[in-house]
Amino acid sequence: MSKIISEFREYREKMNNRLLATENKVIKRIFNLDTNTFMDGALSSREKELMGLVASMVLRCDDCVRYHLEQCYSKGITKEQIVESFAVANLIGGTIVIPHTRRALEYWEELEKS
Amino acid sequence: MSKIISEFREYREKMNNRLLATENKVIKRIFNLDTNTFMDGALSSREKELMGLVASMVLRCDDCVRYHLEQCYSKGITKEQIVESFAVANLIGGTIVIPHTRRALEYWEELEKS
Amino acid sequence: MSKIISEFREYREKMNNRLLATENKVIKRIFNLDTNTFMDGALSSREKELMGLVASMVLRCDDCVRYHLEQCYSKGITKEQIVESFAVANLIGGTIVIPHTRRALEYWEELEKS
Amino acid sequence: MSKIISEFREYREKMNNRLLATENKVIKRIFNLDTNTFMDGALSSREKELMGLVASMVLRCDDCVRYHLEQCYSKGITKEQIVESFAVANLIGGTIVIPHTRRALEYWEELEKS
Amino acid sequence: MSKIISEFREYREKMNNRLLATENKVIKRIFNLDTNTFMDGALSSREKELMGLVASMVLRCDDCVRYHLEQCYSKGITKEQIVESFAVANLIGGTIVIPHTRRALEYWEELEKS
Amino acid sequence: MSKIISEFREYREKMNNRLLATENKVIKRIFNLDTNTFMDGALSSREKELMGLVASMVLRCDDCVRYHLEQCYSKGITKEQIVESFAVANLIGGTIVIPHTRRALEYWEELEKS
């Protein structure tokens, strides 16, 4: 597996565990809500992941983008669809989103290789 | 038609026309790009409008939210789907999105009445 | 009661009710979490409301600011303390926060009169 | 004078006075700094006002935009130059800036009429 | 001392010195204001540091978060209180704050070890 | 050439090429628009780069800041002028911009050495 993928996953898992180990109820519930929100409902979980991806891009959070790219990848979204999501995010969020798009594309292409 | 709908549409159209009347090429092209970006492609225009809605909500732009609500409405998206989009935006963007969600719901319900 | 206070409260309550009437579970839970997060714990609810106020100011959400001003007022926070909170928010968030501070001060002074 | 201009100026002046009347030293100094920052230096005050305008647009603060439009107007900046500033802000900040650009153009055209 | 702590402190100090060496008066005054704003007043410096922490988290600035964590630590704020601050920030700012919370918790736990 | 300069340029060029290789028309046009927007017009390209720099700083995008610093450097803008731009950005955007200013100054000083 590529180094940027494994490093992201390991740090994320390690620190999520330490966050949950603090036994703060609000944080625990936010984590649970996060799981529930993206489940199939009136909108499919695939659609919601795409929405989560674009929201993360316009808010310019690289780690959030990576997380949603992983979810999109696991749901069979194609590269062409991902790149169209990038286009939506760059149009709405402006060229300030471009550096995050560069990193997002790199991560996506690593996911495809893995 | 409801007053908040007609006022939004009229002001938006009037000022877009005045913006385009400035003959600034960059602004013209951004307006054209806006139209092209949301057309059917690898992702449907329906999916892109939902992404545009959530992006507008987390960036907390009421007028952008209204615009995408109109597009979603014209594409047959249901209220239950819209409310799930609100949920995604409120989870990712936090409770700071709630006041915008109140206004978005009001606008959507006006669209349904119209 | 002042008009800006009553209008804010009425619209907020009316639309919160309509939001909850959609029966979306995620939104319901976010509303519940909101109540729980600000309860007394390792930090007092008074301290958390001050934190909520400053967070709302730097994120520049007038309605969120109003809501936290009401909570601060009901917890006996003084005007001098509120203005020091404004100072923290304006320093961290920059002069872009000034217009929101003008509206926040107006709302606070209306609360004091009421 | 147009109503949107006079209302903006009056409310801004009234509430700035009330803010300064709180005698908070940090807020006073931020107001002083604001005056000093935009004075002629290695960059002209005209250039700094243009920078302030674009910063206000990408941060999407309508009142800040209005303030800098007034400063730009008083320094003899032309409409064509203002519209090019709008273009820079819309490119960098994305289409989320468009609604603010509509209101900015309206305000500028009112300034020209006044 | 842990590497992430010493690297943060050294780079911060080195570059703050170089910034102040530019002899720009506005930047100097902003640095002075920063010191004054967080001093004891109507609110305690401890309370203001907690407000600064939450503001930095919702604005998602890792270095600002680290700085305020250091201040909170030196003022005897407990881990349980810090984690409640994280909860407030994640609720208000949304899940987009989670990656910053992971890094904040790591930094705090390093401070406790040091 | 300094390592932070060469690494920035290489990664930026490599990933821009891969982005353009996706053949997404919207992204291509945004890249073209980016070039056109900053050309001489009613405002000089030098003025627009300064505006782009301040916009990037208040939006807190380090890579965008680096890009505009390079453009400013190539147009003969002096260090004193750059530092005044930093001052404008820190005033408007607040102390949350300071960490980005530290990195911006470091990058600028590397450009001067190169």
Side-chain angles (χ1 to χ4, degrees), chain C residues 73-85:
Chain C
Y73 188 72
S74 75
K75 289 185 195 311
I77 290 170
T78 68
K79 185 177 180 180
E80 208 183 343
Q81 292 170 329
I82 285 294
V83 175
E84 286 199 8
S85 308

Side-chain angles (χ1 to χ4, degrees), chain B residues 11 15-16 18 59 63, chain D residues 60 83 102-103 106 109:
Chain B
Y11 182 76
M15 292 312 304
N16 275 0
R18 271 155 72 177
L59 289 173
D63 280 4
Chain D
R60 302 191 288 115
V83 175
R102 287 197 281 262
R103 292 189 282 270
E106 183 184 35
E109 293 183 341

Side-chain angles (χ1 to χ4, degrees), chain C residues 34-52:
Chain C
D34 199 20
T35 309
N36 293 332
T37 305
F38 288 94
M39 285 180 173
D40 284 325
L43 295 168
S44 66
S45 89
R46 182 190 154 282
E47 286 168 317
K48 290 181 192 173
E49 287 300 338
L50 285 167
M51 292 153 81

Side-chain angles (χ1 to χ4, degrees), chain D residues 32-61:
Chain D
N32 281 337
L33 256 183
D34 197 23
T35 309
N36 293 332
T37 305
F38 289 94
M39 285 181 172
D40 283 325
L43 295 168
S44 66
S45 89
R46 182 190 155 281
E47 285 167 318
K48 289 181 193 173
E49 287 299 340
L50 285 167
M51 291 152 82
L53 174 62
V54 170
S56 300
M57 290 191 83
V58 298
L59 289 174
R60 302 191 288 115
C61 172

